[in-house]
Amino acid sequence: MKNDITRQVLTYIDNNIYAKISLEELARIFYFNKDYIMRSFKKELGITIIDYMNKKRIYQSLKELQTTNDSILKVALEHGFTSQEYFTEIFNKIMGVNPLSYRKFTKNHPSLSEDEYNTIRKNLTDIKYQLDYIKKYKENIPRETVKKLSRYP
């Protein structure tokens, strides 16, 4: 039963990733207490709902940061963040650098330090593994197989 609610929440989030999604809204939609939904999600996936949404939004923003010259504010708003400041804060928390440093990374800019370069590469690998793990979980691949394919729970 817990797996079902977690998969349903994942599907809803993925289908509405750029919308404002609150835990109260999820509780109302799925007819479960928000604390139950949060505990179930964390237990099944090893990540909170908010962390998942933030990681997914940041990961999806990477391509736009790499391929366009759009402002950081525009990228932030298009990816479900309410301000450039919050986007930059979450981006820095997840990627270990700010969005401008990531842009420099994508263009092999010489002003990027070796530490920044290594931090970005490590965090890119980590976020990709975690999101791949969650995708396989959502697709209902047996948990034992998923564990073999991932470094995560």
Side-chain angles (χ1 to χ4, degrees):
M1 172 117 157
K2 283 186 180 180
N3 316 30
D4 293 339
I5 187 64
T6 300
R7 281 187 180 80
Q8 290 172 18
V9 168
L10 274 171
T11 298
Y12 180 82
I13 290 170
D14 289 349
N15 290 339
N16 298 283
I17 191 65
Y18 299 131
K20 186 176 187 290
I21 301 170
S22 70
L23 298 172
E24 291 77 14
E25 176 185 354
L26 293 174
R28 191 179 68 255
I29 290 168
F30 295 104
Y31 301 104
F32 282 98
N33 177 290
K34 75 175 184 173
D35 293 326
Y36 175 80
I37 292 172
M38 291 184 327
R39 277 192 314 272
S40 175
F41 196 94
K42 172 84 174 182
K43 182 179 179 192
E44 289 292 315
L45 298 171
I47 186 174
T48 68
I49 292 170
I50 301 301
D51 286 344
Y52 172 69
M53 288 189 302
N54 284 337
K55 283 185 178 188
K56 184 136 180 132
R57 289 171 176 166
I58 292 297
Y59 189 73
Q60 291 179 342
S61 75
L62 297 178
K63 185 174 182 179
E64 193 167 339
L65 287 169
Q66 180 179 354
T67 59
T68 72
N69 288 321
D70 290 348
S71 71
I72 301 301
L73 175 61
K74 182 177 180 188
V75 173
L77 296 175
E78 287 178 353
H79 289 86
F81 291 91
T82 55
S83 71
Q84 179 176 334
E85 292 77 18
Y86 185 61
F87 174 74
T88 299
E89 176 186 332
I90 298 302
F91 194 98
N92 201 11
K93 180 180 171 189
I94 293 170
M95 295 302 299
V97 297
N98 64 44
L100 290 176
S101 292
Y102 178 76
R103 267 204 171 134
K104 289 178 183 178
F105 169 82
T106 65
K107 298 183 182 356
N108 289 321
H109 200 278
S111 70
L112 198 64
S113 75
E114 188 175 336
D115 282 347
E116 288 173 311
Y117 181 83
N118 290 333
T119 296
I120 293 168
R121 290 191 52 92
K122 178 198 173 301
N123 290 334
L124 274 173
T125 300
D126 288 349
I127 192 172
K128 179 157 179 24
Y129 273 124
Q130 192 166 37
L131 293 177
D132 284 350
Y133 167 80
I134 292 170
K135 180 181 177 190
K136 287 173 178 57
Y137 173 91
K138 187 176 134 189
E139 293 169 351
N140 208 13
I141 294 174
R143 192 173 189 110
E144 297 74 36
T145 304
V146 172
K147 282 185 179 182
K148 289 178 188 172
L149 298 174
S150 175
R151 301 188 268 179
Y152 293 93

